[in-house]
Amino acid sequence: MSAGRQHVTQDVTLRCGWHTVRVADTPLLRTAGLTKRYRGVVALDGLSLEVPRGLVGLVGANGAGKTTLFRLLLGLTHPSEGRVEVCGHDVAANPVAARGRLGYMPEHECLPLDQTASDVVSTLGEISGLPPRAARQRASEVLDLVGLDEARFRSVGGFSTGMRQRVKLAQALVADPELALLDEPTAGLDPTGREEMLTLVARLGSFGISVLLATHLLDDVAQVCDHVVMLDAGRLVVSGSTDSLLERTGSVTVDVGDGAAALVGALAARGVTATLDELLVEVMVRSDDDLDTIRDTVAELGLPLHRLSSRAGSLDEAFLTPRAPVEAL
């Protein structure tokens, strides 16, 4: 688990630097039969899940339903069916209370280029309900947090893509949200900028801010998130801890010489997926039981075990591995 990951489960209020850390028992997000249709297109299809607080990755290809879910959480659109709660508040019944817990970093370019970073962030802080002086002070604090302290009085129009992404992150944090909705925060960034942005996202957990990170880059999620929700065509593929998913998608390479074909057949008969690569056997391992099966099968066939090596899985494999439409870990 990365240094940025943490779960928050107690009911405590603390002071941590510039931010008041709120820790609650209520789930970060809860949906029940959530469905959204647009003129015959089903953007979300009966989505039911419960997500704990912390750093959460929302992954899926373009059109999977990530942006639609964000719009529903923000109250910018209404569900066709079902219900959604965010930070313990029913969005339909109390949209103002729900939205007051959220900060939002949009994917697309949206900043006024003729204003300074400080003016942009403080203005959006005032729109969120902060008094002018408090908004100006908080803007200074969050711009320092994202690494733009020295550039806060420069016009956004002269900023690089990475700096503009940081301004968007700062305005999402200025009103002290419980949950930050980050839509493709690493979009358009070079490798260095991407790593710096992910480091910033990971730091939010230490301030008690939960994150819902929407992306199609599974490596981003694996690096900073402790929970992952995968969507495909508006349906839930899997929801669970990142570590659990990674543990279920590893593989083992087995070298038994000329007995490779016999081993593949024997493993298949026991329900273990194995493929032949020249004289090597590649076995998909989803639990320790599979490792025991490999060992026992090799012994029963009387094969020589020249080599056995393992390879850790990836979220790409977890997403692509065929399974039932919905699975919670």
Side-chain angles (χ1 to χ4, degrees):
M1 184 174 291
S2 69
R5 299 182 193 167
Q6 68 172 24
H7 284 295
V8 283
T9 56
Q10 304 175 27
D11 189 9
V12 183
T13 301
L14 305 172
R15 187 75 188 175
C16 182
W18 63 273
H19 191 276
T20 301
V21 178
R22 289 170 302 269
V23 186
D25 289 327
T26 57
L28 179 68
L29 172 66
R30 181 188 288 130
T31 69
L34 189 63
T35 301
K36 181 62 181 179
R37 302 184 185 91
Y38 294 101
R39 297 181 180 179
V41 176
V42 181
L44 286 177
D45 189 1
L47 184 65
S48 296
L49 77 161
E50 185 172 302
V51 179
R53 293 176 183 250
L55 305 179
V56 181
L58 177 64
V59 300
N62 293 333
K66 304 187 299 295
T67 298
T68 296
L69 180 58
F70 273 13
R71 290 176 59 83
L72 288 166
L73 293 175
L74 291 164
L76 300 177
T77 189
H78 303 290
S80 303
E81 298 172 13
R83 58 192 297 269
V84 55
E85 292 181 6
V86 57
C87 299
H89 295 276
D90 188 303
V91 177
N94 200 345
V96 175
R99 193 177 303 157
R101 269 64 179 178
L102 302 176
Y104 175 51
M105 176 182 177
E107 174 185 4
H108 301 292
E109 188 65 58
C110 60
L111 300 172
L113 303 183
D114 60 340
Q115 294 189 27
T116 68
S118 180
D119 286 341
V120 170
V121 177
S122 61
T123 298
L124 289 169
E126 289 186 52
I127 292 173
S128 298
L130 294 177
R133 180 174 295 181
R136 181 67 63 175
Q137 177 62 33
R138 186 60 58 83
S140 177
E141 293 171 348
V142 294
L143 286 169
D144 181 52
L145 176 71
V146 302
L148 291 178
D149 182 52
E150 295 183 0
R152 67 183 185 273
F153 297 125
R154 289 170 48 190
S155 296
V156 173
F159 283 3
S160 65
T161 299
M163 295 172 72
R164 293 181 188 182
Q165 289 294 88
R166 289 169 186 249
V167 174
K168 289 197 292 183
L169 177 60
Q171 63 80 31
L173 304 176
V174 67
D176 202 19
E178 288 186 47
L179 168 61
L181 305 177
L182 310 183
D183 197 353
E184 302 284 356
T186 61
L189 300 183
D190 60 26
T192 299
R194 176 172 168 262
E195 289 300 315
E196 291 173 348
M197 177 59 70
L198 292 177
T199 299
L200 286 171
V201 172
R203 286 188 64 195
L204 298 183
S206 66
F207 295 116
I209 302 176
S210 291
V211 170
L212 190 58
L213 169 65
T215 181
H216 62 280
L217 301 175
L218 296 174
D219 286 346
D220 288 2
V221 174
Q223 184 169 333
V224 302
C225 294
D226 53 6
H227 193 95
V228 60
V229 175
M230 293 182 175
L231 300 180
D232 184 30
R235 295 185 178 183
L236 180 64
V237 176
V238 65
S239 175
S241 74
T242 308
D243 289 339
S244 295
L245 287 174
L246 294 177
E247 289 171 0
R248 292 164 52 97
T249 58
S251 67
V252 169
T253 300
V254 186
D255 182 359
V256 291
D258 294 336
L263 179 59
V264 170
L267 289 173
R270 298 186 176 194
V272 177
T273 302
T275 58
L276 189 60
D277 183 8
E278 295 183 354
L279 292 180
L280 298 177
V281 178
E282 296 287 338
V283 186
M284 295 300 298
V285 175
R286 294 180 174 81
S287 69
D288 290 341
D289 290 341
D290 288 342
L291 293 174
D292 293 340
T293 300
I294 295 170
R295 178 201 61 201
D296 295 342
T297 305
V298 170
E300 290 173 8
L301 292 175
L303 299 175
L305 183 57
H306 301 302
R307 180 167 65 92
L308 187 149
S309 59
S310 62
R311 179 180 62 82
S314 68
L315 288 179
D316 300 77
E317 291 171 325
F319 185 73
L320 295 172
T321 299
R323 52 165 54 87
V326 177
E327 185 172 342
L329 301 177

